[in-house]
Amino acid sequence: MRYEGLIKWKVLTILSLLPTLLQTALVLFFAGIIELLWMFNRIVAITVAVTIGFAMSFMAVTTIAPAIQYFLDYREESAEPSSSQCPYKSPQSWAFLQIEMYCILAFQYMKRGTISWWYGKANGRAAFSKTIISARDWFRYDLTWSRRRRTYKIGRTDVHHDLIWGLRWAATTFRGLLLVLIAHPKL
């Protein structure tokens, strides 16, 4: 009953907006600090502005990095995804990626006069673009990306390549611990 209420009242959506709201508040706070310092002492304001500029540039790079990776990976007509994904996935980077996709579609619409050619092509780029636009979050995007990578690299979608790599990593990382557990079964 509580879960149904959470879904109906869109609590998860509201919670996913909190990081974006906090970052917006941080940007406004920094702008206010710079404006206040500018009135009192310009040298201090410039020093603080440079420091804040570095922090804001890091935030901007982590926001647009997934969209840049998508654009670089899929600008050619290749179906091959990159070997690894950009780890900077946040609600604001998801929104930026969605905006980028709609801008690309609008540009293609203006260029060709119709959008049907984009969806009608039987290539990986068009299918993946439709998936990005229809996906609601990073989780569904990651599932689609992982499925495409497995299909391209292995030729099958039923092999859980990521699971095999994860188990391999765990075995190499915790090899010493496993040897200790095997040598001392009473632990």
Side-chain angles (χ1 to χ4, degrees):
M1 187 161 120
R2 288 184 184 177
Y3 181 73
E4 292 171 358
L6 291 174
I7 298 300
K8 182 174 175 143
W9 285 87
K10 310 274 188 213
V11 173
L12 299 176
T13 304
I14 293 169
L15 287 176
S16 70
L17 288 175
L18 287 178
T20 305
L21 291 174
L22 284 172
Q23 286 189 349
T24 304
L26 183 67
V27 168
L28 293 174
F29 174 74
F30 283 157
I33 289 288
I34 292 172
E35 181 182 356
L36 179 69
L37 289 174
W38 192 261
M39 289 189 298
F40 292 127
N41 190 339
R42 291 180 190 240
I43 303 229
V44 172
I46 291 171
T47 306
V48 170
V50 168
T51 306
I52 289 173
F54 284 127
M56 291 295 103
S57 64
F58 177 75
M59 186 174 76
V61 166
T62 58
T63 298
I64 64 172
I68 290 172
Q69 181 189 21
Y70 171 80
F71 185 73
L72 293 177
D73 280 351
Y74 299 102
R75 68 175 183 237
E76 291 115 21
E77 299 296 322
S78 172
E80 177 185 7
S82 64
S83 59
S84 63
Q85 283 189 351
C86 178
Y88 306 116
K89 294 180 180 171
S90 61
Q92 61 270 17
S93 63
W94 178 252
F96 190 82
L97 180 64
Q98 292 288 315
I99 290 169
E100 177 194 28
M101 284 307 306
Y102 282 115
C103 288
I104 289 171
L105 286 175
F107 176 73
Q108 296 298 335
Y109 178 74
M110 290 185 299
K111 184 177 173 185
R112 301 281 187 196
T114 180
I115 212 163
S116 63
W117 78 273
W118 181 269
Y119 288 109
K121 285 186 172 181
N123 62 25
R125 177 178 164 188
F128 195 65
S129 298
K130 284 193 331 189
T131 304
I132 286 179
I133 290 175
S134 64
R136 295 186 312 236
D137 53 18
W138 280 118
F139 177 73
R140 286 174 183 80
Y141 172 87
D142 289 343
L143 287 177
T144 303
W145 183 88
S146 179
R147 191 175 303 119
R148 286 189 68 241
R149 185 181 69 173
R150 282 194 307 265
T151 303
Y152 183 82
K153 297 227 183 240
I154 302 172
R156 298 170 49 186
T157 59
D158 59 342
V159 178
H160 297 288
H161 190 258
D162 294 329
L163 179 62
I164 294 168
W165 277 101
L167 290 173
R168 181 178 169 206
W169 171 84
T172 56
T173 302
F174 301 112
R175 179 177 297 155
L177 179 62
L178 291 174
L179 293 175
V180 168
L181 290 174
I182 292 170
H184 302 287
K186 293 182 181 179
L187 289 178

